[in-house]
């Protein structure tokens, strides 16, 4: 790393540290993925912290969301991950936040509640934190029955579901079918292990907003859902 690159990286880290509410998250990203994330931190230079009031708050939320989303992007299991692909995923995560998050999005997110259905919710901590940084509230369910019970008692702006939950290998679709059969049209996103075109097409044909295994794309789907129902 050149002196100039090191200087830019240090400046970006200083800006991030000044607004980040999760220092442990930053430490995780730096220790485990530091070499691959140089481009990510450089891209945070897009976030300016001039001014005060809501503008400064919005910029802080952008930085928090970006830090969590890049952690989600590079921490998700991938047997084919390399330092180069991790850097690309990190850069993509930063770009998604920079391009999609603004004051209007933050205002809408602060009013939103999402239902996340996954039998292993600890696998999605960083993904949730990226959206919580914008103000989205989450209710968690670990089974289809629990999700249906929560849906009977509360209205949600978006539903995120994994696919397989023992003993049902297609539990995501089971939940989606039950919802649509009951007339519930809440935007529904499948967050599972596949990003194959045929699986995306099947999800849409069944009434889902989308299907992905990429944290950045999930982030975009959720914001699109909030924009749709807002």
């Amino acid at each position: 790393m050149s002196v100039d690159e090191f200087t830019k990286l240090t400046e970006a880290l200083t800006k991030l540290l000044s607004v980040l509410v999760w220092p442990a998250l930053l430490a995780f990203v730096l220790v485990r993925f530091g070499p691959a994330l140089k481009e990510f931190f450089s891209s945070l230079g897009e976030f300016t912290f001039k001014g005060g009031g809501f503008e400064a708050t919005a910029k802080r939320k952008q930085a928090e969301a970006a830090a969590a989303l890049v952690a989600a992007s590079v921490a998700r299991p991938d047997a084919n991950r390399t330092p180069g692909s991790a850097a690309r995923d990190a850069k993509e995560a930063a770009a998604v936040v920079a391009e999609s998050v603004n004051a209007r999005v933050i205002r809408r997110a602060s009013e939103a509640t999402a239902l996340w259905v996954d039998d292993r919710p600890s696998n999605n901590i960083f993904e949730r934190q990226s959206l919580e940084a914008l103000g989205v509230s989450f209710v968690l369910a670990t089974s289809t029955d629990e999700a249906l019970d929560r849906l009977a008692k509360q209205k949600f702006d978006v539903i995120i579901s994994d696919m397989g939950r023992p003993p049902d290998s297609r539990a995501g679709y089971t939940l989606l079918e039950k919802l649509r059969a009951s007339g519930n049209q809440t935007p529904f996103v499948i967050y599972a292990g596949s990003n194959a075109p045929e699986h995306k097409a099947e999800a849409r044909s069944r009434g889902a907003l989308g299907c992905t295994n990429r944290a950045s794309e999930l982030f975009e789907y959720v914001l699109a859902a909030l924009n749709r129902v807002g």
Side-chain angles (χ1 to χ4, degrees), residues 40-71:
F40 160 69
F41 288 113
S42 295
S43 70
L44 282 180
E46 298 175 32
F47 299 129
T48 58
F49 294 90
K50 59 185 178 182
F54 188 80
E55 179 186 3
T57 299
K59 295 300 182 182
R60 176 177 59 80
K61 289 179 180 293
Q62 281 183 321
E64 292 169 7
L69 190 59
V70 73

Side-chain angles (χ1 to χ4, degrees), residues 31-213:
V31 171
R32 187 169 179 185
F33 303 104
L37 299 182
K38 181 175 66 178
E39 289 190 57
F40 160 69
F41 288 113
S42 295
S43 70
L44 282 180
E46 298 175 32
F47 299 129
T48 58
F49 294 90
K50 59 185 178 182
F54 188 80
E55 179 186 3
T57 299
K59 295 300 182 182
R60 176 177 59 80
K61 289 179 180 293
Q62 281 183 321
E64 292 169 7
L69 190 59
V70 73
S73 297
V74 298
R76 196 161 176 82
D78 184 347
N80 298 316
R81 187 177 304 284
T82 65
S85 65
R88 287 192 296 273
D89 289 345
K91 186 175 182 179
E92 177 188 6
V96 164
V97 175
E99 293 169 5
S100 61
V101 175
N102 53 42
R104 183 187 62 79
V105 168
I106 291 172
R107 288 191 182 95
R108 175 66 188 97
S110 67
E111 303 168 347
T113 302
L115 175 64
W116 197 311
V117 190
D118 194 315
D119 57 328
R120 296 181 178 180
S122 61
N123 289 348
N124 309 306
I125 291 174
F126 294 133
E127 288 90 337
R128 289 198 301 275
Q129 287 179 339
S130 70
L131 291 159
E132 287 172 337
L134 305 183
V136 177
S137 297
F138 282 94
V139 172
L140 306 182
T142 58
S143 69
T144 298
D145 287 342
E146 183 182 4
L148 291 171
D149 181 64
R150 293 191 180 281
L151 283 158
K153 300 174 181 177
Q154 183 177 354
K155 181 179 179 180
F156 295 95
D157 296 279
V158 61
I159 300 166
I160 303 166
S161 175
D162 62 349
M163 180 57 76
R165 293 186 290 275
D168 186 354
S169 63
R170 291 167 69 85
Y173 286 149
T174 299
L175 175 59
L176 177 58
E177 289 167 4
K178 289 179 180 292
L179 290 179
R180 296 300 184 251
S182 71
N184 187 318
Q185 296 299 317
T186 303
F188 194 101
V189 181
I190 299 287
Y191 190 50
S194 173
N195 208 38
E198 59 269 26
H199 293 154
K200 287 177 172 291
E202 181 180 6
R204 289 192 296 269
S205 71
R206 290 174 175 270
L209 179 61
C211 170
T212 187
N213 65 353

